[in-house]
Amino acid sequence: MTLFDSVLALLIAILAWRSVTAPDLYRGIVLFITLGLMLALSWARLDAPDLALAEAAIGAGLLGILLLSTWRVLQRAAPRQGSDEPASYAVRWLAVVGSTVFGGTVAVALYGLQVGSDRAGAEALASLDLAGIDQPVTAVLLNFRSYDTLLEMGVLLMALIGALLIRSPLAYEPWHGDTAVESPLMSVLAKVFTPIVVLVGIFLVWAGAYGPGGAFQGGAVLAGAGVLLLLCRRLYGDADATLLLRGLLVLGVTAFIVIGLLLMPWQGAFLAYPPGLVYVLLVVIEFSLAVSIALSLLLLFTGTHAVRAVRS
Amino acid sequence: MTALLTVAAVILLKLFALGLIRIYQGPSESDRILAVQLSGTTTVGILVLLSHVLAMPALIYVALLFVLFAALIGVAFVRHPGIGSSS
């Protein structure tokens, strides 16, 4: 295994280096996707299957698709006006100083870490019985540190709002042609493959209750199904959001807060769950989080306020 | 058995490194994306082997995700996400 690890570390370093120094955009994207594959392997070697799942779904998968689609749009668009001159020396030196300071600070912080002092982790594992759910990662995310996860969902919403404000949409008009006479592969992908992707997504959300998986990984896979439908022209990005869609976007945060507040009179604390109901409540929260995450990621892909089905 | 599987995983990883030559040299865009698909398949193989060697059944799910997203990456490569017909 030592040989495996050293080859893996070497490959990650080479791929990371090459993906930022690639001569053109497309090569950089391709190398970045390949880097994602290796990073998932490294998470697997670090005993973190949850992160390997997240890396596979978000890092290599969705992000790779987003980059490839952006590259397609850029390729089709008119050649960019303006100069491609490198930044001035002052800016470059500023970047060098900034990265060096940041890297140095991280190195100092890492050096200060004491091995074996992860008492919070040990305590979480020891009190797993209280969490009412077998999977340590889910127990920490949704029960012990649920406040962090709630705020994280808020951050995701903020990111979506910010992205919608500043970026131009990627997929924004309905397909007027007849979908039936299009490439036969597309209808098979939309009708046969998409349900399988959705099924895997739902399975991953549900798997979070007893093993690696969870709302983020499952939500990313569900968003992947949506992206597939977009690329197959079964969905398109639309400018006007319906109330239902906005409701689904905030469903995760709302479910979290409502359940937390409703149980307050009995539990005496925000986001404290009664022992008997913990499993059911966490699964409900997890699925509502997954819906919001999937929709947010899909809208981050289209860059529009809504998605709509193409009427055939 | 575990030793044999570990050796197999190392060999697959080295084959992955060899595949990088095609990703880097190209020459065409399709060559590169096909090389990425090939490295994806190799990664799936490594993950399946590792799930047995490390006794982590969840790595099979990771492999499953890579298989699903490999198809999506292929579609994203050939389709234009915006308006109009595309090749």
Side-chain angles (χ1 to χ4, degrees):
Chain A
M1 267 315 181
T2 322
L3 181 62
F4 184 86
D5 290 348
S6 39
V7 175
L8 186 60
L10 191 68
L11 277 177
I12 288 177
I14 292 173
L15 280 171
W17 173 252
R18 302 286 359 171
S19 63
V20 286
T21 56
D24 62 82
L25 200 58
Y26 178 71
R27 255 188 261 187
I29 294 169
V30 163
L31 285 167
F32 179 79
I33 298 172
T34 325
L35 175 66
L37 298 172
M38 286 294 100
L39 283 179
L41 279 185
S42 77
W43 287 124
R45 280 299 292 137
L46 290 168
D47 274 341
D50 284 273
L51 286 174
L53 279 172
E55 177 63 42
I58 302 170
L62 268 184
L63 200 49
I65 295 165
L66 179 63
L67 290 174
L68 275 177
S69 291
T70 310
W71 166 74
R72 272 272 174 238
V73 172
L74 287 177
Q75 212 187 22
R76 180 81 67 87
R80 198 152 47 97
Q81 300 294 312
S83 62
D84 259 344
E85 278 170 32
S88 70
Y89 272 106
V91 172
R92 280 194 261 176
W93 275 108
L94 211 60
V96 167
V97 171
S99 336
T100 315
V101 169
F102 180 71
T105 318
V106 171
V108 168
L110 282 179
Y111 188 72
L113 276 184
Q114 282 167 355
V115 179
S117 65
D118 54 338
R119 279 187 301 145
E123 207 169 297
L125 277 178
S127 48
L128 202 57
D129 298 339
L130 294 174
I133 214 156
D134 297 335
Q135 161 70 353
V137 177
T138 311
V140 170
L141 279 181
L142 291 185
N143 200 342
F144 296 146
R145 303 298 298 262
S146 48
Y147 200 59
D148 292 1
T149 312
L150 173 61
L151 293 182
E152 215 170 280
M153 290 304 295
V155 169
L156 187 62
L157 273 181
M158 290 298 157
L160 177 64
I161 294 168
L164 291 183
L165 284 177
I166 60 168
R167 61 167 283 197
S168 54
L170 200 61
Y172 49 84
E173 267 194 32
W175 169 249
H176 292 300
D178 186 3
T179 43
V181 296
E182 242 204 320
S183 161
L185 186 61
M186 290 305 146
S187 75
V188 174
L189 278 170
K191 283 181 189 143
V192 181
F193 194 65
T194 312
I196 301 176
V197 180
V198 172
L199 187 67
V200 171
I202 294 172
F203 165 72
L204 271 183
V205 181
W206 176 69
Y210 64 89
F216 274 90
Q217 292 92 335
V221 175
L222 291 176
V227 170
L228 184 62
L229 287 178
L230 270 167
L231 292 173
C232 291
R233 317 257 185 266
R234 298 304 193 271
L235 287 177
Y236 68 97
D238 196 25
D240 308 312
T242 56
L243 194 62
L244 174 72
L245 200 102
R246 293 243 158 104
L248 287 179
L249 269 181
V250 295
L251 179 69
V253 182
T254 318
F256 230 136
I257 294 176
V258 165
I259 291 179
L261 283 179
L262 276 183
L263 291 171
M264 255 178 95
W266 289 276
Q267 296 299 308
F270 183 49
L271 292 174
Y273 313 117
L277 278 173
V278 154
Y279 185 82
V280 183
L281 287 177
L282 289 194
V283 169
V284 168
I285 291 176
E286 187 130 53
F287 270 98
S288 37
L289 288 181
V291 169
S292 295
I293 290 168
L295 207 54
S296 305
L297 291 176
L298 185 59
L299 292 181
L300 278 172
F301 179 86
T302 62
T304 55
H305 287 267
V307 284
R308 233 172 257 283
V310 174
R311 286 196 191 83
S312 51
Chain B
M1 192 62 184
T2 309
L4 187 71
L5 292 180
T6 312
V7 171
V10 172
I11 291 173
L12 278 177
L13 198 61
K14 287 185 173 163
L15 288 175
F16 180 99
L18 274 180
L20 288 183
I21 297 173
R22 197 35 67 196
I23 291 184
Y24 201 70
Q25 285 198 336
S28 76
E29 283 153 0
S30 320
D31 288 328
R32 293 209 168 90
I33 205 78
L34 280 178
V36 169
Q37 300 280 352
L38 174 71
S39 29
T41 312
T42 317
T43 312
V44 168
I46 298 173
L47 280 168
V48 171
L49 285 173
L50 281 187
S51 82
H52 195 84
V53 174
L54 305 173
M56 268 199 277
L59 292 186
I60 299 277
Y61 304 158
V62 185
L64 178 67
L65 282 195
F66 273 131
V67 174
L68 288 182
F69 277 102
L72 284 172
I73 293 234
V75 177
F77 174 68
V78 295
R79 300 290 279 197
H80 188 282
I83 50 169
S85 64
S86 64
S87 50

